[in-house]
Amino acid sequence: MSGADARDPAWAYAHCETLVREGDPDRWYASLYAPADKRPHLHALAAFSLEVARVREAVSSPMPGELRLQWWRDALQGEARGDVRAHPVAAALDDTLVKARLPRQPLVDLIDARIFDLYDDPMPSTHDLEGYCGETASCLIRLGSLILASGSEPGGAAAAGHAGVAYAVTGLLRALPWHARSGQVYLPADVLKAHGVTREDIVAGRGGPGLLGACADLRALVRRHLAAYAAERATIAPVAATAFLPVALVEGYLAQMERPGYDPLASVIDLPNWRRIWRLWRAARSVT
């Protein structure tokens, strides 16, 4: 990429859409139900989330990762060195923040939450897991709602909190095989302890009944948040409903985890594109 290209807003937004289409198909397909003029901003937001989430994969140790996260923090706060707009995702995000009049602090909080990703410590507790998911996934739903509402209050702040936790915990369960191989454990220590499972068991690829029980507890946590989200759905302005569409995929993922033979450390949990599209279409119809 060239700096000149990155400074072209159309090119920067197109770059973000490509990243999201390839790296986050749930949010990309959901974005197709948004008005065309809002999609680039939703893509910029999701591409930023992807870039920050992938920092661990791009570095060999936590310190370089912390430096990369600091660059994003500085970029959001206007303190980064060099031309931030030479980075296409940063350029599109900055344009989105200005045009959609979004607050920057939730994105700074998202970056701070992602520091956890750089280290191999297990998630301390279920409460910490919910907080992590709130600052990452719930944040995207809430900011997406603000984009769709064009500056008016979209409501649904509590709904976004519960929806984001449900979606993110499901995603962490889906990613458990990959995280375990890289030494990461997002399953909370209190749940693991209750089932006699240790971080070392998971990283070594030892599952068994204890891990199955821990994952079942987390699926129950997801469903509690889904129920709380459903109770709050009436508070969401219809114009903002598209921001919540990826949550419609959660039950499909959970159902796969509840089939006989499910192995949390080996099973690939995904939806074929036709089923993903169908679930999103059905959910979109219910709010129009």
Side-chain angles (χ1 to χ4, degrees):
M1 86 184 68
S2 72
D5 286 335
R7 294 186 190 92
D8 174 4
W11 188 89
Y13 280 116
H15 177 81
C16 289
E17 181 176 7
T18 298
L19 286 179
V20 178
R21 185 174 64 245
E22 295 175 354
D24 193 349
D26 287 0
R27 287 193 176 93
W28 184 76
Y29 280 113
S31 75
L32 299 181
Y33 291 94
D37 64 322
K38 306 297 185 186
R39 290 176 204 160
H41 301 310
L42 296 175
H43 296 153
L45 196 62
F48 160 75
S49 177
L50 273 176
E51 288 278 304
V52 174
R54 290 172 171 174
V55 166
R56 174 168 172 140
E57 300 172 19
V59 297
S60 58
S61 64
M63 185 55 67
E66 292 224 26
L67 292 174
R68 289 197 181 206
L69 291 180
Q70 184 61 48
W71 184 89
W72 278 105
R73 193 181 292 109
D74 291 345
L76 284 168
Q77 297 172 332
E79 300 173 358
R81 295 182 179 180
D83 186 0
V84 171
R85 296 187 68 84
H87 189 299
V89 176
L93 180 66
D94 186 67
D95 194 62
T96 288
L97 291 170
V98 172
K99 289 181 177 175
R101 300 189 298 279
L102 297 181
R104 294 173 184 260
Q105 188 59 45
L107 297 179
V108 175
D109 294 340
L110 183 154
I111 292 168
D112 290 343
R114 287 291 185 182
I115 293 174
F116 177 86
D117 301 355
L118 304 177
Y119 296 88
D120 293 338
D121 300 326
M123 189 67 68
S125 69
T126 302
H127 178 74
D128 290 307
L129 176 63
E130 291 171 311
Y132 171 90
C133 294
E135 291 183 336
T136 53
S138 301
C139 163
L140 296 185
I141 295 174
R142 175 62 176 166
L143 293 179
S145 297
L146 292 169
I147 289 170
L148 292 166
S150 300
S152 63
E153 172 53 51
H162 291 297
V165 173
Y167 184 78
V169 173
T170 302
L172 292 172
L173 288 171
R174 293 175 60 205
L176 182 55
W178 293 274
H179 289 154
R181 285 196 291 270
S182 67
Q184 288 179 290
V185 177
Y186 288 88
L187 307 190
D190 55 352
V191 173
L192 295 180
K193 183 177 180 180
H195 291 275
V197 182
T198 67
R199 173 193 175 277
E200 289 68 29
D201 290 332
I202 295 173
V203 172
R206 296 189 295 268
L211 184 56
L212 285 170
C215 290
D217 281 0
L218 289 175
R219 291 196 299 274
L221 175 68
V222 169
R223 289 203 163 96
R224 289 196 295 274
H225 281 283
L226 285 178
Y229 160 59
E232 295 283 347
R233 283 187 65 177
T235 67
I236 305 168
V239 71
T242 301
F244 293 81
L245 281 184
V247 186
L249 303 173
V250 166
E251 282 290 357
Y253 293 133
L254 295 181
Q256 291 191 29
M257 297 177 200
E258 291 164 352
R259 291 176 179 172
Y262 166 62
D263 182 346
L265 292 174
S267 298
V268 176
I269 304 300
D270 202 2
L271 294 173
N273 276 341
W274 70 267
R275 189 174 293 278
R276 179 184 281 114
I277 293 167
W278 176 74
R279 283 181 173 271
L280 291 171
W281 172 79
R282 188 175 64 174
R285 283 192 65 194
S286 72
V287 296
T288 55

